[in-house]
Amino acid sequence: MSAVREWPLRVGAEERGSNDGETFAAHNPATGEKIATVPRCREADVEACVAAATQAHGRWSELGPLERAERLNRLADAIDARAEEIARLDAVDNGSPLDYFRTDVRNTTWQLRYFAGLALEIKGETLPGDRDRLNYSLRQPYGVVARITPFNHPFMFAARGSAAPLIAGNTVVIKPSEHTSLSTLLFAEIAAEVLGPGVVGVVTGFGEEAGEPLVAHPDVRRVGFTGSVPGGQRVLATAAAAGIKHVTCELGGKNPLVVLADADLDAAVDGVVNGMNFTWSSQSCGSTSRVLVAEAVHAELVAAIGERVAALRPGPPEDEATMMGALVNQLQYEKVQRYIAIGREEGAEEVVAGGPVAVAGHERGFFVRPAVFDKVDPGSRLAQEEIFGPVLAVMPFAELEEAIAIANGVEFGLTAGIYTRDLGAAHRFARDVEAGSVWVNDSSKHFPGAPFGGWKASGLGQEESIEEIVSYTRAKNVNVNFA
Ligand code: NAP
């Protein structure tokens, strides 16, 4: 049994507990072991953290863009220097494989450097006027920005999610998921060393106790939320009730991947398996959890997918050979089992039987074998609801138009993919599918610098690109009469 670390809260330059001294426990989902205690923040802690961020804002926003860029690059260097420590912390706190979190850290540091490189692109414009008049626009920071993050990429969403607000001249207060707070606390420690106190703050704790007062705080005018649709709805309601705030939301998905009869079927099977993100137990917003297959190749494709998925074996996150980790907590573990039961009750054909599985030496871990259901009714719960776990729903179709109708027949619109050799079909699909990102003959990979964001219930706004930086600025238009 390893030592239980008591993580402090960092408020400006001070390390302390929560205001009332309360903590909550963090557990390793692969072993059930208690690994840390974390401050349980409430309104008074939010108040103190936002005050520290407000104080730091003057100093941070007065830096020129190139000075901020230089500091962001140094932050990336400091993260790189501690990459293995960060990845190991996320692995024990979240349960997905260690190597997956190494990739997360690499993705974080290149994105910090990418946003640093865009510092001079935070431009306004000038408009033609008459001889004695000038009209120009400015882009200015909001001040203190709130970032609320989910459990599936704890460090990446905290650190990468701070890059755009910071380069635009804001300071940031992050509220991580109660299930995965540790690497965000470590990020705040590294950020304080490199950027100075208060530029990045963290309030740990629960959504209603720490997240809500952060969103409602009068000095927080901009909120970036990543999480579930119900979470986004709550944040939007709080922000509306507390005054009009700019809120962007990166929310859930039930992403379709369409395979036409003329597709390269080997590539399509790779696309389905990679797109489902089984490595992290499909706990990814972008998981292609609905596979729509043309009738002519349906039987062949389902057999090939079944074979690949049945071979996946969950294992200990720290083991380099692990293909799939543990689910993050008991709630997720029970939710996945509930949906497997729903699939059976709804009469879908069970191609690969999923369910709980014991991993030697990790008997208390939340491990599940993935499930594949075929001939799923497009209107059923299995086809409509985000499971956020390794349960794949396959649906046959006759014509492309039918596939597009099924693809669009859910409340979500995050990503979509198609495998085909028919250029016209690919472009018709890309034009007509209701999703913020579309892949043709590929799945899941984020294209560097491309805007990512959902349609419909999947979100508001776009991230990972220049659009994200602009969204962390306020526009001001200036009219000058110099006659
Ligand atoms: P979640 O339950 O919505 O929680 C997200 C965050 O919101 C957590 O920090 C949570 O705190 C906080 N929160 C909950 N209630 C709140 C409130 N009333 N006010 C302020 N904050 C509140 O989501 P999750 O289960 O962690 O993550 C999974 C979801 O995230 C999935 O739906 C997935 O699709 C989505 N996601 C989307 C993207 C994307 O880019 N589109 C990326 C990753 C994940 P507590 O956990 O402490 O309650």
Side-chain angles (χ1 to χ4, degrees), residues 29 35 84-98 100-102 104-105 151-157 180-184 317:
I35 50 173
E84 188 64 16
E85 176 190 356
I86 295 165
R88 286 187 181 274
L89 193 57
D90 265 350
V92 294
D93 202 17
N94 169 285
S96 287
L98 172 60
Y100 154 70
F101 289 114
R102 291 186 181 126
D104 264 17
V105 179
F151 66 77
N152 59 333
H153 297 271
F155 186 81
M156 189 176 83
F157 282 138
T180 52
S181 313
L182 307 185
S183 64
T184 305

PDB file of all heavy atoms in Angstrom, residues 29 35 84-98 100-102 104-105 151-157 180-184 317:
ATOM      1  N   PRO A  29      -8.694   3.820  -9.461  1.00  0.00           N
ATOM      2  CA  PRO A  29      -9.799   2.994  -9.960  1.00  0.00           C
ATOM      3  C   PRO A  29      -9.377   1.583 -10.346  1.00  0.00           C
ATOM      4  O   PRO A  29     -10.234   0.707 -10.494  1.00  0.00           O
ATOM      5  CB  PRO A  29     -10.294   3.739 -11.201  1.00  0.00           C
ATOM      6  CG  PRO A  29      -9.429   4.915 -11.386  1.00  0.00           C
ATOM      7  CD  PRO A  29      -8.344   4.929 -10.366  1.00  0.00           C
ATOM      8  N   ILE A  35      -5.507   7.021  -2.560  1.00  0.00           N
ATOM      9  CA  ILE A  35      -4.161   7.492  -2.924  1.00  0.00           C
ATOM     10  C   ILE A  35      -3.889   8.912  -2.470  1.00  0.00           C
ATOM     11  O   ILE A  35      -2.736   9.335  -2.416  1.00  0.00           O
ATOM     12  CB  ILE A  35      -3.913   7.396  -4.450  1.00  0.00           C
ATOM     13  CG1 ILE A  35      -5.064   8.041  -5.236  1.00  0.00           C
ATOM     14  CG2 ILE A  35      -3.693   5.943  -4.867  1.00  0.00           C
ATOM     15  CD1 ILE A  35      -4.793   8.133  -6.741  1.00  0.00           C
ATOM     16  N   GLU A  84       6.782  12.323 -17.174  1.00  0.00           N
ATOM     17  CA  GLU A  84       6.529  10.966 -16.680  1.00  0.00           C
ATOM     18  C   GLU A  84       5.771  11.013 -15.346  1.00  0.00           C
ATOM     19  O   GLU A  84       4.831  10.229 -15.128  1.00  0.00           O
ATOM     20  CB  GLU A  84       7.866  10.226 -16.542  1.00  0.00           C
ATOM     21  CG  GLU A  84       7.748   8.748 -16.213  1.00  0.00           C
ATOM     22  CD  GLU A  84       7.065   7.899 -17.304  1.00  0.00           C
ATOM     23  OE1 GLU A  84       6.930   8.364 -18.453  1.00  0.00           O
ATOM     24  OE2 GLU A  84       6.651   6.767 -16.981  1.00  0.00           O
ATOM     25  N   GLU A  85       6.144  11.948 -14.497  1.00  0.00           N
ATOM     26  CA  GLU A  85       5.464  12.110 -13.198  1.00  0.00           C
ATOM     27  C   GLU A  85       3.978  12.461 -13.417  1.00  0.00           C
ATOM     28  O   GLU A  85       3.089  11.901 -12.759  1.00  0.00           O
ATOM     29  CB  GLU A  85       6.177  13.241 -12.438  1.00  0.00           C
ATOM     30  CG  GLU A  85       5.560  13.623 -11.123  1.00  0.00           C
ATOM     31  CD  GLU A  85       6.181  14.917 -10.555  1.00  0.00           C
ATOM     32  OE1 GLU A  85       7.141  15.452 -11.156  1.00  0.00           O
ATOM     33  OE2 GLU A  85       5.669  15.394  -9.529  1.00  0.00           O
ATOM     34  N   ILE A  86       3.730  13.352 -14.367  1.00  0.00           N
ATOM     35  CA  ILE A  86       2.347  13.775 -14.658  1.00  0.00           C
ATOM     36  C   ILE A  86       1.546  12.589 -15.194  1.00  0.00           C
ATOM     37  O   ILE A  86       0.425  12.317 -14.750  1.00  0.00           O
ATOM     38  CB  ILE A  86       2.344  14.930 -15.691  1.00  0.00           C
ATOM     39  CG1 ILE A  86       3.010  16.181 -15.115  1.00  0.00           C
ATOM     40  CG2 ILE A  86       0.919  15.244 -16.138  1.00  0.00           C
ATOM     41  CD1 ILE A  86       3.373  17.234 -16.151  1.00  0.00           C
ATOM     42  N   ALA A  87       2.133  11.870 -16.163  1.00  0.00           N
ATOM     43  CA  ALA A  87       1.421  10.741 -16.781  1.00  0.00           C
ATOM     44  C   ALA A  87       1.104   9.677 -15.727  1.00  0.00           C
ATOM     45  O   ALA A  87       0.005   9.105 -15.708  1.00  0.00           O
ATOM     46  CB  ALA A  87       2.254  10.155 -17.912  1.00  0.00           C
ATOM     47  N   ARG A  88       2.051   9.416 -14.834  1.00  0.00           N
ATOM     48  CA  ARG A  88       1.819   8.396 -13.793  1.00  0.00           C
ATOM     49  C   ARG A  88       0.720   8.838 -12.828  1.00  0.00           C
ATOM     50  O   ARG A  88      -0.092   8.028 -12.373  1.00  0.00           O
ATOM     51  CB  ARG A  88       3.125   8.096 -13.037  1.00  0.00           C
ATOM     52  CG  ARG A  88       4.060   7.272 -13.872  1.00  0.00           C
ATOM     53  CD  ARG A  88       5.301   6.783 -13.163  1.00  0.00           C
ATOM     54  NE  ARG A  88       6.103   6.035 -14.126  1.00  0.00           N
ATOM     55  CZ  ARG A  88       5.938   4.736 -14.399  1.00  0.00           C
ATOM     56  NH1 ARG A  88       5.053   4.025 -13.736  1.00  0.00           N
ATOM     57  NH2 ARG A  88       6.677   4.144 -15.323  1.00  0.00           N
ATOM     58  N   LEU A  89       0.693  10.136 -12.532  1.00  0.00           N
ATOM     59  CA  LEU A  89      -0.338  10.651 -11.622  1.00  0.00           C
ATOM     60  C   LEU A  89      -1.728  10.484 -12.250  1.00  0.00           C
ATOM     61  O   LEU A  89      -2.670  10.022 -11.592  1.00  0.00           O
ATOM     62  CB  LEU A  89      -0.045  12.135 -11.336  1.00  0.00           C
ATOM     63  CG  LEU A  89      -0.789  12.786 -10.186  1.00  0.00           C
ATOM     64  CD1 LEU A  89      -0.553  12.044  -8.886  1.00  0.00           C
ATOM     65  CD2 LEU A  89      -0.365  14.245 -10.052  1.00  0.00           C
ATOM     66  N   ASP A  90      -1.858  10.831 -13.534  1.00  0.00           N
ATOM     67  CA  ASP A  90      -3.158  10.653 -14.192  1.00  0.00           C
ATOM     68  C   ASP A  90      -3.532   9.173 -14.276  1.00  0.00           C
ATOM     69  O   ASP A  90      -4.704   8.817 -14.114  1.00  0.00           O
ATOM     70  CB  ASP A  90      -3.134  11.271 -15.598  1.00  0.00           C
ATOM     71  CG  ASP A  90      -3.675  12.708 -15.609  1.00  0.00           C
ATOM     72  OD1 ASP A  90      -4.232  13.141 -14.582  1.00  0.00           O
ATOM     73  OD2 ASP A  90      -3.536  13.385 -16.643  1.00  0.00           O
ATOM     74  N   ALA A  91      -2.547   8.313 -14.519  1.00  0.00           N
ATOM     75  CA  ALA A  91      -2.859   6.877 -14.640  1.00  0.00           C
ATOM     76  C   ALA A  91      -3.401   6.317 -13.329  1.00  0.00           C
ATOM     77  O   ALA A  91      -4.384   5.566 -13.334  1.00  0.00           O
ATOM     78  CB  ALA A  91      -1.627   6.099 -15.097  1.00  0.00           C
ATOM     79  N   VAL A  92      -2.806   6.683 -12.193  1.00  0.00           N
ATOM     80  CA  VAL A  92      -3.307   6.122 -10.922  1.00  0.00           C
ATOM     81  C   VAL A  92      -4.616   6.776 -10.495  1.00  0.00           C
ATOM     82  O   VAL A  92      -5.410   6.180  -9.771  1.00  0.00           O
ATOM     83  CB  VAL A  92      -2.296   6.224  -9.740  1.00  0.00           C
ATOM     84  CG1 VAL A  92      -1.082   5.373  -9.986  1.00  0.00           C
ATOM     85  CG2 VAL A  92      -1.924   7.652  -9.414  1.00  0.00           C
ATOM     86  N   ASP A  93      -4.854   8.017 -10.962  1.00  0.00           N
ATOM     87  CA  ASP A  93      -6.063   8.730 -10.548  1.00  0.00           C
ATOM     88  C   ASP A  93      -7.249   8.408 -11.455  1.00  0.00           C
ATOM     89  O   ASP A  93      -8.401   8.411 -11.022  1.00  0.00           O
ATOM     90  CB  ASP A  93      -5.768  10.242 -10.604  1.00  0.00           C
ATOM     91  CG  ASP A  93      -6.704  11.056  -9.740  1.00  0.00           C
ATOM     92  OD1 ASP A  93      -7.363  10.467  -8.855  1.00  0.00           O
ATOM     93  OD2 ASP A  93      -6.779  12.287  -9.928  1.00  0.00           O
ATOM     94  N   ASN A  94      -6.955   8.123 -12.741  1.00  0.00           N
ATOM     95  CA  ASN A  94      -8.023   7.947 -13.738  1.00  0.00           C
ATOM     96  C   ASN A  94      -8.249   6.493 -14.151  1.00  0.00           C
ATOM     97  O   ASN A  94      -9.370   6.114 -14.495  1.00  0.00           O
ATOM     98  CB  ASN A  94      -7.695   8.799 -14.971  1.00  0.00           C
ATOM     99  CG  ASN A  94      -8.574   8.504 -16.164  1.00  0.00           C
ATOM    100  OD1 ASN A  94      -8.405   7.476 -16.822  1.00  0.00           O
ATOM    101  ND2 ASN A  94      -9.535   9.368 -16.437  1.00  0.00           N
ATOM    102  N   GLY A  95      -7.178   5.671 -14.168  1.00  0.00           N
ATOM    103  CA  GLY A  95      -7.347   4.249 -14.481  1.00  0.00           C
ATOM    104  C   GLY A  95      -7.040   3.856 -15.914  1.00  0.00           C
ATOM    105  O   GLY A  95      -6.959   2.670 -16.221  1.00  0.00           O
ATOM    106  N   SER A  96      -6.891   4.825 -16.827  1.00  0.00           N
ATOM    107  CA  SER A  96      -6.530   4.482 -18.209  1.00  0.00           C
ATOM    108  C   SER A  96      -5.028   4.221 -18.285  1.00  0.00           C
ATOM    109  O   SER A  96      -4.274   4.621 -17.392  1.00  0.00           O
ATOM    110  CB  SER A  96      -6.948   5.607 -19.159  1.00  0.00           C
ATOM    111  OG  SER A  96      -8.349   5.597 -19.305  1.00  0.00           O
ATOM    112  N   PRO A  97      -4.573   3.569 -19.383  1.00  0.00           N
ATOM    113  CA  PRO A  97      -3.160   3.167 -19.439  1.00  0.00           C
ATOM    114  C   PRO A  97      -2.180   4.343 -19.416  1.00  0.00           C
ATOM    115  O   PRO A  97      -2.427   5.406 -19.986  1.00  0.00           O
ATOM    116  CB  PRO A  97      -3.067   2.432 -20.778  1.00  0.00           C
ATOM    117  CG  PRO A  97      -4.451   1.983 -21.071  1.00  0.00           C
ATOM    118  CD  PRO A  97      -5.356   3.025 -20.498  1.00  0.00           C
ATOM    119  N   LEU A  98      -1.052   4.078 -18.753  1.00  0.00           N
ATOM    120  CA  LEU A  98       0.009   5.078 -18.584  1.00  0.00           C
ATOM    121  C   LEU A  98       0.434   5.691 -19.915  1.00  0.00           C
ATOM    122  O   LEU A  98       0.613   6.901 -20.035  1.00  0.00           O
ATOM    123  CB  LEU A  98       1.200   4.379 -17.901  1.00  0.00           C
ATOM    124  CG  LEU A  98       2.488   5.142 -17.767  1.00  0.00           C
ATOM    125  CD1 LEU A  98       2.296   6.410 -16.957  1.00  0.00           C
ATOM    126  CD2 LEU A  98       3.553   4.248 -17.109  1.00  0.00           C
ATOM    127  N   TYR A 100      -1.161   6.138 -22.586  1.00  0.00           N
ATOM    128  CA  TYR A 100      -2.191   7.074 -23.079  1.00  0.00           C
ATOM    129  C   TYR A 100      -1.970   8.455 -22.455  1.00  0.00           C
ATOM    130  O   TYR A 100      -2.090   9.492 -23.123  1.00  0.00           O
ATOM    131  CB  TYR A 100      -3.540   6.463 -22.737  1.00  0.00           C
ATOM    132  CG  TYR A 100      -4.715   7.378 -22.561  1.00  0.00           C
ATOM    133  CD1 TYR A 100      -5.271   8.049 -23.644  1.00  0.00           C
ATOM    134  CD2 TYR A 100      -5.313   7.532 -21.314  1.00  0.00           C
ATOM    135  CE1 TYR A 100      -6.378   8.864 -23.479  1.00  0.00           C
ATOM    136  CE2 TYR A 100      -6.419   8.339 -21.146  1.00  0.00           C
ATOM    137  CZ  TYR A 100      -6.947   9.009 -22.235  1.00  0.00           C
ATOM    138  OH  TYR A 100      -8.039   9.802 -22.074  1.00  0.00           O
ATOM    139  N   PHE A 101      -1.587   8.484 -21.176  1.00  0.00           N
ATOM    140  CA  PHE A 101      -1.369   9.782 -20.529  1.00  0.00           C
ATOM    141  C   PHE A 101      -0.038  10.408 -20.938  1.00  0.00           C
ATOM    142  O   PHE A 101       0.105  11.622 -20.913  1.00  0.00           O
ATOM    143  CB  PHE A 101      -1.512   9.647 -19.009  1.00  0.00           C
ATOM    144  CG  PHE A 101      -2.940   9.419 -18.611  1.00  0.00           C
ATOM    145  CD1 PHE A 101      -3.341   8.233 -18.036  1.00  0.00           C
ATOM    146  CD2 PHE A 101      -3.900  10.385 -18.863  1.00  0.00           C
ATOM    147  CE1 PHE A 101      -4.669   8.016 -17.706  1.00  0.00           C
ATOM    148  CE2 PHE A 101      -5.231  10.179 -18.541  1.00  0.00           C
ATOM    149  CZ  PHE A 101      -5.617   8.991 -17.955  1.00  0.00           C
ATOM    150  N   ARG A 102       0.926   9.564 -21.333  1.00  0.00           N
ATOM    151  CA  ARG A 102       2.164  10.141 -21.906  1.00  0.00           C
ATOM    152  C   ARG A 102       1.796  10.910 -23.178  1.00  0.00           C
ATOM    153  O   ARG A 102       2.301  11.995 -23.430  1.00  0.00           O
ATOM    154  CB  ARG A 102       3.162   9.030 -22.220  1.00  0.00           C
ATOM    155  CG  ARG A 102       3.740   8.359 -20.981  1.00  0.00           C
ATOM    156  CD  ARG A 102       4.825   7.374 -21.384  1.00  0.00           C
ATOM    157  NE  ARG A 102       5.394   6.705 -20.249  1.00  0.00           N
ATOM    158  CZ  ARG A 102       5.484   5.378 -20.116  1.00  0.00           C
ATOM    159  NH1 ARG A 102       5.041   4.565 -21.070  1.00  0.00           N
ATOM    160  NH2 ARG A 102       6.042   4.854 -19.043  1.00  0.00           N
ATOM    161  N   ASP A 104      -1.093  12.254 -23.808  1.00  0.00           N
ATOM    162  CA  ASP A 104      -1.802  13.466 -23.372  1.00  0.00           C
ATOM    163  C   ASP A 104      -0.822  14.586 -23.028  1.00  0.00           C
ATOM    164  O   ASP A 104      -1.042  15.744 -23.368  1.00  0.00           O
ATOM    165  CB  ASP A 104      -2.652  13.163 -22.124  1.00  0.00           C
ATOM    166  CG  ASP A 104      -4.104  12.854 -22.472  1.00  0.00           C
ATOM    167  OD1 ASP A 104      -4.370  12.570 -23.652  1.00  0.00           O
ATOM    168  OD2 ASP A 104      -4.959  12.914 -21.569  1.00  0.00           O
ATOM    169  N   VAL A 105       0.260  14.234 -22.334  1.00  0.00           N
ATOM    170  CA  VAL A 105       1.227  15.273 -21.944  1.00  0.00           C
ATOM    171  C   VAL A 105       1.905  15.833 -23.197  1.00  0.00           C
ATOM    172  O   VAL A 105       2.074  17.053 -23.327  1.00  0.00           O
ATOM    173  CB  VAL A 105       2.270  14.726 -20.938  1.00  0.00           C
ATOM    174  CG1 VAL A 105       3.276  15.813 -20.572  1.00  0.00           C
ATOM    175  CG2 VAL A 105       1.588  14.219 -19.668  1.00  0.00           C
ATOM    176  N   PHE A 151     -13.338  14.269 -16.411  1.00  0.00           N
ATOM    177  CA  PHE A 151     -12.365  13.337 -15.817  1.00  0.00           C
ATOM    178  C   PHE A 151     -11.499  12.605 -16.841  1.00  0.00           C
ATOM    179  O   PHE A 151     -10.552  11.930 -16.480  1.00  0.00           O
ATOM    180  CB  PHE A 151     -13.092  12.296 -14.936  1.00  0.00           C
ATOM    181  CG  PHE A 151     -13.996  11.367 -15.704  1.00  0.00           C
ATOM    182  CD1 PHE A 151     -13.467  10.317 -16.446  1.00  0.00           C
ATOM    183  CD2 PHE A 151     -15.374  11.521 -15.688  1.00  0.00           C
ATOM    184  CE1 PHE A 151     -14.281   9.458 -17.167  1.00  0.00           C
ATOM    185  CE2 PHE A 151     -16.202  10.672 -16.417  1.00  0.00           C
ATOM    186  CZ  PHE A 151     -15.643   9.638 -17.152  1.00  0.00           C
ATOM    187  N   ASN A 152     -11.821  12.702 -18.147  1.00  0.00           N
ATOM    188  CA  ASN A 152     -11.174  11.743 -19.052  1.00  0.00           C
ATOM    189  C   ASN A 152      -9.782  12.125 -19.539  1.00  0.00           C
ATOM    190  O   ASN A 152      -9.009  11.250 -19.904  1.00  0.00           O
ATOM    191  CB  ASN A 152     -12.101  11.382 -20.223  1.00  0.00           C
ATOM    192  CG  ASN A 152     -12.509  12.573 -21.050  1.00  0.00           C
ATOM    193  OD1 ASN A 152     -12.548  13.694 -20.546  1.00  0.00           O
ATOM    194  ND2 ASN A 152     -12.820  12.347 -22.300  1.00  0.00           N
ATOM    195  N   HIS A 153      -9.458  13.424 -19.605  1.00  0.00           N
ATOM    196  CA  HIS A 153      -8.083  13.846 -19.916  1.00  0.00           C
ATOM    197  C   HIS A 153      -7.701  14.881 -18.856  1.00  0.00           C
ATOM    198  O   HIS A 153      -7.598  16.079 -19.180  1.00  0.00           O
ATOM    199  CB  HIS A 153      -7.995  14.499 -21.296  1.00  0.00           C
ATOM    200  CG  HIS A 153      -8.338  13.607 -22.443  1.00  0.00           C
ATOM    201  ND1 HIS A 153      -7.394  12.824 -23.074  1.00  0.00           N
ATOM    202  CD2 HIS A 153      -9.506  13.392 -23.085  1.00  0.00           C
ATOM    203  CE1 HIS A 153      -7.980  12.163 -24.067  1.00  0.00           C
ATOM    204  NE2 HIS A 153      -9.261  12.484 -24.085  1.00  0.00           N
ATOM    205  N   PRO A 154      -7.486  14.475 -17.614  1.00  0.00           N
ATOM    206  CA  PRO A 154      -7.402  15.467 -16.532  1.00  0.00           C
ATOM    207  C   PRO A 154      -6.316  16.523 -16.752  1.00  0.00           C
ATOM    208  O   PRO A 154      -6.590  17.728 -16.710  1.00  0.00           O
ATOM    209  CB  PRO A 154      -7.110  14.615 -15.292  1.00  0.00           C
ATOM    210  CG  PRO A 154      -7.528  13.233 -15.657  1.00  0.00           C
ATOM    211  CD  PRO A 154      -7.372  13.099 -17.128  1.00  0.00           C
ATOM    212  N   PHE A 155      -5.088  16.086 -16.989  1.00  0.00           N
ATOM    213  CA  PHE A 155      -4.018  17.074 -17.128  1.00  0.00           C
ATOM    214  C   PHE A 155      -4.175  17.860 -18.425  1.00  0.00           C
ATOM    215  O   PHE A 155      -4.053  19.085 -18.447  1.00  0.00           O
ATOM    216  CB  PHE A 155      -2.643  16.398 -17.089  1.00  0.00           C
ATOM    217  CG  PHE A 155      -1.524  17.403 -17.095  1.00  0.00           C
ATOM    218  CD1 PHE A 155      -1.142  18.036 -15.926  1.00  0.00           C
ATOM    219  CD2 PHE A 155      -0.875  17.747 -18.279  1.00  0.00           C
ATOM    220  CE1 PHE A 155      -0.130  18.996 -15.927  1.00  0.00           C
ATOM    221  CE2 PHE A 155       0.131  18.703 -18.291  1.00  0.00           C
ATOM    222  CZ  PHE A 155       0.507  19.313 -17.108  1.00  0.00           C
ATOM    223  N   MET A 156      -4.440  17.153 -19.514  1.00  0.00           N
ATOM    224  CA  MET A 156      -4.504  17.823 -20.819  1.00  0.00           C
ATOM    225  C   MET A 156      -5.583  18.905 -20.838  1.00  0.00           C
ATOM    226  O   MET A 156      -5.336  20.017 -21.302  1.00  0.00           O
ATOM    227  CB  MET A 156      -4.753  16.796 -21.924  1.00  0.00           C
ATOM    228  CG  MET A 156      -4.623  17.386 -23.304  1.00  0.00           C
ATOM    229  SD  MET A 156      -4.789  16.145 -24.588  1.00  0.00           S
ATOM    230  CE  MET A 156      -6.555  16.037 -24.736  1.00  0.00           C
ATOM    231  N   PHE A 157      -6.763  18.594 -20.312  1.00  0.00           N
ATOM    232  CA  PHE A 157      -7.814  19.606 -20.366  1.00  0.00           C
ATOM    233  C   PHE A 157      -7.499  20.794 -19.452  1.00  0.00           C
ATOM    234  O   PHE A 157      -7.876  21.926 -19.755  1.00  0.00           O
ATOM    235  CB  PHE A 157      -9.179  19.006 -20.029  1.00  0.00           C
ATOM    236  CG  PHE A 157      -9.779  18.234 -21.173  1.00  0.00           C
ATOM    237  CD1 PHE A 157     -10.419  17.026 -20.958  1.00  0.00           C
ATOM    238  CD2 PHE A 157      -9.694  18.708 -22.473  1.00  0.00           C
ATOM    239  CE1 PHE A 157     -10.973  16.311 -22.026  1.00  0.00           C
ATOM    240  CE2 PHE A 157     -10.237  18.007 -23.539  1.00  0.00           C
ATOM    241  CZ  PHE A 157     -10.882  16.795 -23.316  1.00  0.00           C
ATOM    242  N   THR A 180     -10.859  13.269 -10.619  1.00  0.00           N
ATOM    243  CA  THR A 180      -9.476  13.316 -11.120  1.00  0.00           C
ATOM    244  C   THR A 180      -8.877  14.705 -10.883  1.00  0.00           C
ATOM    245  O   THR A 180      -8.626  15.452 -11.832  1.00  0.00           O
ATOM    246  CB  THR A 180      -9.446  13.023 -12.640  1.00  0.00           C
ATOM    247  OG1 THR A 180     -10.379  13.894 -13.282  1.00  0.00           O
ATOM    248  CG2 THR A 180      -9.777  11.582 -12.968  1.00  0.00           C
ATOM    249  N   SER A 181      -8.637  15.054  -9.637  1.00  0.00           N
ATOM    250  CA  SER A 181      -8.161  16.410  -9.320  1.00  0.00           C
ATOM    251  C   SER A 181      -6.641  16.525  -9.311  1.00  0.00           C
ATOM    252  O   SER A 181      -6.107  17.637  -9.387  1.00  0.00           O
ATOM    253  CB  SER A 181      -8.623  16.812  -7.914  1.00  0.00           C
ATOM    254  OG  SER A 181      -9.967  16.526  -7.697  1.00  0.00           O
ATOM    255  N   LEU A 182      -5.936  15.392  -9.170  1.00  0.00           N
ATOM    256  CA  LEU A 182      -4.532  15.468  -8.735  1.00  0.00           C
ATOM    257  C   LEU A 182      -3.612  16.160  -9.732  1.00  0.00           C
ATOM    258  O   LEU A 182      -2.815  17.023  -9.365  1.00  0.00           O
ATOM    259  CB  LEU A 182      -4.010  14.060  -8.408  1.00  0.00           C
ATOM    260  CG  LEU A 182      -4.864  13.265  -7.406  1.00  0.00           C
ATOM    261  CD1 LEU A 182      -4.194  11.947  -7.055  1.00  0.00           C
ATOM    262  CD2 LEU A 182      -5.172  14.078  -6.151  1.00  0.00           C
ATOM    263  N   SER A 183      -3.718  15.793 -11.006  1.00  0.00           N
ATOM    264  CA  SER A 183      -2.772  16.387 -11.959  1.00  0.00           C
ATOM    265  C   SER A 183      -3.076  17.860 -12.210  1.00  0.00           C
ATOM    266  O   SER A 183      -2.181  18.609 -12.631  1.00  0.00           O
ATOM    267  CB  SER A 183      -2.769  15.594 -13.272  1.00  0.00           C
ATOM    268  OG  SER A 183      -4.027  15.685 -13.897  1.00  0.00           O
ATOM    269  N   THR A 184      -4.302  18.291 -11.943  1.00  0.00           N
ATOM    270  CA  THR A 184      -4.600  19.725 -12.079  1.00  0.00           C
ATOM    271  C   THR A 184      -3.932  20.498 -10.938  1.00  0.00           C
ATOM    272  O   THR A 184      -3.430  21.613 -11.134  1.00  0.00           O
ATOM    273  CB  THR A 184      -6.126  19.968 -12.096  1.00  0.00           C
ATOM    274  OG1 THR A 184      -6.694  19.175 -13.139  1.00  0.00           O
ATOM    275  CG2 THR A 184      -6.457  21.417 -12.353  1.00  0.00           C
ATOM    276  N   PRO A 317      -3.249  -0.262 -15.495  1.00  0.00           N
ATOM    277  CA  PRO A 317      -2.834   0.936 -16.242  1.00  0.00           C
ATOM    278  C   PRO A 317      -1.315   1.107 -16.332  1.00  0.00           C
ATOM    279  O   PRO A 317      -0.812   1.603 -17.320  1.00  0.00           O
ATOM    280  CB  PRO A 317      -3.446   2.087 -15.438  1.00  0.00           C
ATOM    281  CG  PRO A 317      -4.502   1.475 -14.609  1.00  0.00           C
ATOM    282  CD  PRO A 317      -4.177   0.051 -14.413  1.00  0.00           C
TER     283      PRO A 317
END
